[in-house]
Amino acid sequence: MTSIVQQAAAHWRFVAPLLNAPESEDDYDALVAALDELLELIGDDEAHPLASLASHMGDLIEEYDNAHRPMPEVRGADMLRHLMQWHGLDQSSLPEVGTQSVISEILAGKRRLNVRQIKALTQRFDLPADLFLD
């Protein structure tokens, strides 16, 4: 056996859980906790020797999430409603989007967000435009 294979074999039981896709919620939780710990170690250093491991672990977590926790379809009005609640805004707090009555119609489903309004929302909340598209 080559030296690198010998080293991998000696440490495999410690490394394998970080490389394998989670098969249960417990596996998932353990992988998320390990990734959090790894990210604390790596910080913002994209050239860190363990950065590719963190990326791989993130991909495994994302695949599990997509398979077991799919994101619900959200309409633009629903996203707007959520953001207003989150930020403690009322319908008159978004003049860049429209008047209180326009916001009311959007939230009631009587009117759809237009391109200008979506652009204003993406700038205000620093979010991608596709979150507001129906």
Side-chain angles (χ1 to χ4, degrees):
M1 255 193 291
T2 63
S3 175
I4 194 166
V5 173
Q6 288 174 332
Q7 289 177 14
H11 299 284
W12 186 249
R13 66 185 174 116
F14 303 109
V15 177
L18 305 178
L19 298 174
N20 295 323
E23 295 179 4
S24 67
E25 287 293 320
D26 288 341
D27 291 348
Y28 174 87
D29 291 341
L31 189 60
V32 169
L35 179 57
D36 287 344
E37 187 176 342
L38 183 58
L39 291 174
E40 283 183 34
L41 174 69
I42 293 172
D44 292 335
D45 184 2
E46 294 179 14
H48 192 282
L50 296 174
S52 63
L53 174 60
S55 177
H56 177 76
M57 292 166 66
D59 291 344
L60 294 173
I61 290 167
E62 182 179 14
E63 288 173 18
Y64 187 91
D65 281 338
N66 290 340
H68 296 90
R69 299 180 179 115
M71 291 294 292
E73 292 291 323
V74 177
R75 292 181 21 244
D78 295 330
M79 179 57 69
L80 176 59
R81 182 178 294 104
H82 172 75
L83 288 167
M84 289 174 65
Q85 290 172 348
W86 182 267
H87 293 278
L89 303 173
D90 60 24
Q91 293 178 0
S92 62
S93 300
L94 297 166
E96 67 272 32
V97 177
T99 63
Q100 180 274 327
S101 61
V102 168
I103 302 293
S104 179
E105 289 178 353
I106 291 169
L107 295 174
K110 295 178 181 176
R111 179 185 283 219
R112 296 174 73 171
L113 289 165
N114 63 36
V115 173
R116 182 194 60 76
Q117 293 165 328
I118 291 172
K119 184 175 180 182
L121 290 168
T122 62
Q123 290 174 347
R124 171 137 187 188
F125 296 107
D126 193 29
L127 294 170
D130 65 334
L131 294 178
F132 299 100
L133 299 174
D134 291 334

